[in-house]
């Protein structure tokens, strides 16, 4: 079964607005990763946050992690049309087992 | 760095035929993963290798699926015989350290079985 579940399933915003996507997971983790997938392409890694971290930034991306709630959020600030893609969270589990992906959030940024 | 290279990009075949998907991981990466993506089930891990050795094949749906990694720069995923329900996008990914480093994905092979 999928370890991570993203919320919402789809999000449509205007260029310049912020986009927030959430991920919940079920078991303890070593780290949580976020990926982007453009239509017809493979997934591209965005950011990794370790279980002992609470927040991480990379450019216009901000990721938070709350291990007590088993949840994470990805914030994209000042969105652009080029940010239109599906976004997935992925978790590894403390046993170092395989990386499993959520079902993804489809983000559409309208110009 | 050419990234993970998969071939073919598209494959259309008839039910019952053998299908072979190919992957060249990033040089120096010790881990190689095969994923399948469908609308219904999302991204599923089929199998992964460490140093060319299969570690976990519990995601392989049935005996019709097999994967090999004869050397560090090449892997194949074979389906024999193929069925319409195998239609999906198959991704290969590699990483330098499982779980603690990013996966680098190829652009996938879109398989259609008629």
């Amino acid at each position: 079964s999928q370890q991570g579940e993203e919320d919402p399933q789809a999000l449509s915003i205007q260029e310049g607005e912020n986009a927030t996507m959430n991920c919940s997971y079920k078991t303890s983790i070593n780290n949580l990763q976020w990926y982007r997938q453009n239509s017809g392409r493979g997934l591209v890694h965005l950011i990794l946050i370790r279980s002992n971290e609470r927040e991480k930034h990379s450019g216009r991306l901000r990721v938070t992690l709350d291990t007590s709630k088993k949840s994470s959020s990805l914030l994209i600030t000042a969105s652009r049309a080029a940010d239109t893609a599906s976004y997935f969270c992925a978790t590894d589990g403390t046993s170092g087992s395989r990386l499993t992906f959520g079902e993804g959030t489809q983000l559409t940024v309208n110009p | 760095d050419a990234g993970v290279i998969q071939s073919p990009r598209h494959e259309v075949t008839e039910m019952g035929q053998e299908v072979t998907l190919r992957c060249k991981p990033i040089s120096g990466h010790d881990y190689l993963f095969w994923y399948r993506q469908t609308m219904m089930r999302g991204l599923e891990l089929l199998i992964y290798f460490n140093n060319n050795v299969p570690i976990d094949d519990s995601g392989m749906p049935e005996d019709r699926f097999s994967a090999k990694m004869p050397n560090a720069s090449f892997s194949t995923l074979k389906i024999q015989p193929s069925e319409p329900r195998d239609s999906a996008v198959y991704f290969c990914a590699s990483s330098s350290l499982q779980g603690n480093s990013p996966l680098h994905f190829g652009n996938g092979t879109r398989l259609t079985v008629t």
Side-chain angles (χ1 to χ4, degrees):
Chain A
S1 63
Q2 297 291 343
Q3 165 75 314
E5 294 184 2
E6 284 89 346
D7 166 49
Q9 288 189 336
L11 180 62
S12 181
I13 59 174
Q14 295 300 123
E15 210 166 25
E17 294 180 341
N18 295 342
T20 300
M21 290 160 273
N22 303 297
C23 168
S24 60
Y25 56 92
K26 298 176 182 176
T27 63
S28 297
I29 60 172
N30 283 323
N31 64 65
L32 184 144
Q33 302 181 35
W34 284 91
Y35 288 78
R36 182 188 74 225
Q37 184 180 30
N38 290 91
S39 180
R41 307 297 294 268
L43 281 73
V44 175
H45 179 261
L46 294 176
I47 197 165
L48 180 152
I49 186 166
R50 301 190 189 283
S51 59
N52 61 354
E53 298 176 310
R54 291 297 166 258
E55 188 170 312
K56 203 163 184 179
H57 297 255
S58 176
R60 293 185 296 112
L61 306 181
R62 174 181 168 244
V63 169
T64 61
L65 178 64
D66 187 336
T67 53
S68 67
K69 296 181 179 178
K70 291 186 169 60
S71 68
S72 174
S73 67
L74 170 67
L75 168 67
I76 304 175
T77 60
S79 63
R80 305 166 182 169
D83 294 328
T84 294
S86 292
Y87 291 82
F88 296 86
C89 67
T91 54
D92 66 338
T94 53
S95 63
S97 58
R98 61 230 233 139
L99 199 64
T100 55
F101 288 81
E103 296 177 352
T105 293
Q106 172 62 51
L107 173 67
T108 302
V109 181
N110 302 299
Chain B
D1 186 350
V4 175
I5 299 172
Q6 291 187 246
S7 64
R9 284 282 278 140
H10 301 274
E11 176 80 37
V12 180
T13 191
E14 291 184 348
M15 182 174 62
Q17 296 299 306
E18 177 180 296
V19 175
T20 300
L21 311 180
R22 298 173 176 79
C23 175
K24 177 179 169 56
I26 291 173
S27 177
H29 280 186
D30 297 328
Y31 288 87
L32 184 140
F33 304 80
W34 283 100
Y35 283 87
R36 178 172 68 178
Q37 186 177 38
T38 61
M39 289 295 292
M40 292 295 295
R41 294 186 297 272
L43 267 164
E44 304 173 279
L45 177 64
L46 301 178
I47 185 172
Y48 76 90
F49 296 83
N50 178 23
N51 292 323
N52 313 338
V53 176
I55 302 300
D56 183 353
D57 65 355
S58 60
M60 297 285 262
E62 43 195 280
D63 291 345
R64 296 184 298 105
F65 286 69
S66 63
K68 294 181 180 180
M69 191 164 186
N71 57 62
S73 59
F74 184 66
S75 177
T76 59
L77 178 68
K78 186 174 293 186
I79 308 172
Q80 167 62 19
S82 58
E83 297 182 2
R85 60 193 168 122
D86 301 330
S87 298
V89 181
Y90 290 81
F91 288 102
C92 175
S94 69
S95 74
S96 57
L97 183 65
Q98 181 198 19
N100 291 317
S101 65
L103 296 188
H104 297 260
F105 282 79
N107 281 324
T109 294
R110 179 173 294 278
L111 173 65
T112 303
V113 183
T114 61

